[in-house]
Amino acid sequence: MQSDTLELDIWRGDRDGQFQAFTLPLRESQTILDAVTEIQRTQDASLAYRFACRVGMCGSCAMIVDGIPRWTCRTRVVDVQRKGKRLKLEPLRNLPIVKDLAVEMRVFFDKWRDAKGYFEPGDTPPADFAVVAPSSRERRAADVAIECINCGICYSACDVVSWDDEYLGPAALNRSWTLVNDVRDQGQKSRLEAVAADAGCHSCHSHMSCTEFCPKALSPTQSIAGLKRETMRAALRGEV
Amino acid sequence: MNPAWTARLLLAQRATAIVLAFAVAIHLATIIYAVRLGLNAGEILGRTRGNALFLAFYSVFVIAASIHAPIGLRNIFREWANWRGYSLELAMIALSLVLLALGLRAAFAVYGA
Ligand code: SF4
Ligand code: SF4
Ligand code: FES
């Protein structure tokens, strides 16, 4: 291989697909997403993949690059390509493949909902604004976990998700934990019940693949540990 | 299963784990101590027969194990064999009772023999 070309094997089709080889010029500061886009624009317009923001905010461009789930708009080819080696691109694990590099994210977001990963304002609006001190324990716990971009990388990396298709998964539980720490939220009982159930936080084996690969450097493992403690406490007090 | 029950099961699993951690350690130490002068049934029974402390210790051990083991096994069956629902709960309750019965029978046998 010449040093000015980039060779890739890209997954084509659905579950029963296969890899297709592509070659294109290696460019300075080229990201994996740039390479895929260039292939689609100049070589094969039928190549399916997803992206939106291109700056690491929307979470739509995740793929498996040489076996590792990554956000491809923020992953430069030179940083991940082992010298002279071809790059292998696959769709995320643990989700149905729509086509090529695009997966169906529906289950991922359904679980987000099932883990009650949304703010529950309650029936009556509070009389005044809630005061949440930035230094409070709850606020700090929520801050640490809040920057999730819903990319699905952790979900793809989690082995428990592959064994147990009901397991809510790291992203949904991480979001749930930020809400457990939201003192304004009125839906804590049903949230703790949702995450204490069989396919919830107690199914996590704490093997930290989610934390290892999260592009935002979050630790769903730690959030899930928080949920384990909180649900245990609630069970002891008879609150769930 | 109802989530409140799942949380309680896990609580019971953790609590019995603490009991077992001590019980297993004492059990192993006892074995090492017991075989010091060579091991035969008569000698062991001589020490355990009518010993209420022995009976109490092993009863606690057996009860903790019969609670702890089925809960862990239930998780393994859920995860690895995709076994869920009432049949699983009933099987685990049955397992718990079998462990309890066999364990207590053994403890009483060496106590009363
Ligand atoms: S720590 Fe838990 S959620 Fe994260 S990858 Fe492991 S099992 Fe999955
Ligand atoms: S926790 Fe991290 S890896 Fe998981 S969806 Fe959010 S940003 Fe992506
Ligand atoms: S395209 Fe938006 S995060 Fe990569």
Side-chain angles (χ1 to χ4, degrees), chain A residues 163-164 166 193 196-198 202-203 205 232 235-236 240, chain B residues 1 3-4 6-8 10-11 14 74 78-80 84:
Chain A
W163 301 327
D164 179 352
E166 286 173 19
E193 284 178 355
D198 270 325
H202 297 285
S203 292
H205 288 222
M232 284 286 143
L236 266 178
V240 292
Chain B
M1 181 184 280
T6 316
R8 290 203 180 104
L10 289 153
L11 215 51
R14 308 263 192 300
R74 175 178 176 272
R78 279 195 81 261
E79 200 169 280
W80 288 84
R84 318 230 157 132

Side-chain angles (χ1 to χ4, degrees), chain B:
Chain B
M1 181 184 280
N2 164 333
W5 273 103
T6 316
R8 290 203 180 104
L9 279 187
L10 289 153
L11 215 51
Q13 192 189 24
R14 308 263 192 300
T16 49
I18 297 171
V19 175
L20 287 173
F22 288 107
V24 170
I26 294 171
H27 177 59
L28 289 176
T30 311
I31 293 175
I32 293 166
Y33 173 75
V35 298
R36 214 171 23 122
L37 304 168
L39 188 63
N40 66 59
E43 254 195 55
I44 291 185
L45 286 176
R47 273 173 284 192
T48 61
R49 211 171 287 150
N51 185 337
L53 194 65
F54 169 88
L55 180 65
F57 171 72
Y58 277 96
S59 300
V60 170
F61 194 164
V62 164
I63 292 168
S66 63
I67 296 173
H68 187 84
I71 301 175
L73 212 55
R74 175 178 176 272
N75 290 340
I76 295 171
F77 276 129
R78 279 195 81 261
E79 200 169 280
W80 288 84
N82 219 15
W83 186 6
R84 318 230 157 132
Y86 279 118
S87 60
L88 175 61
E89 319 301 4
L90 287 177
M92 291 305 108
I93 290 170
L95 175 70
S96 177
L97 294 176
V98 168
L99 289 177
L100 190 66
L102 290 179
L104 288 181
R105 185 169 158 254
F108 271 101
V110 282
Y111 168 75

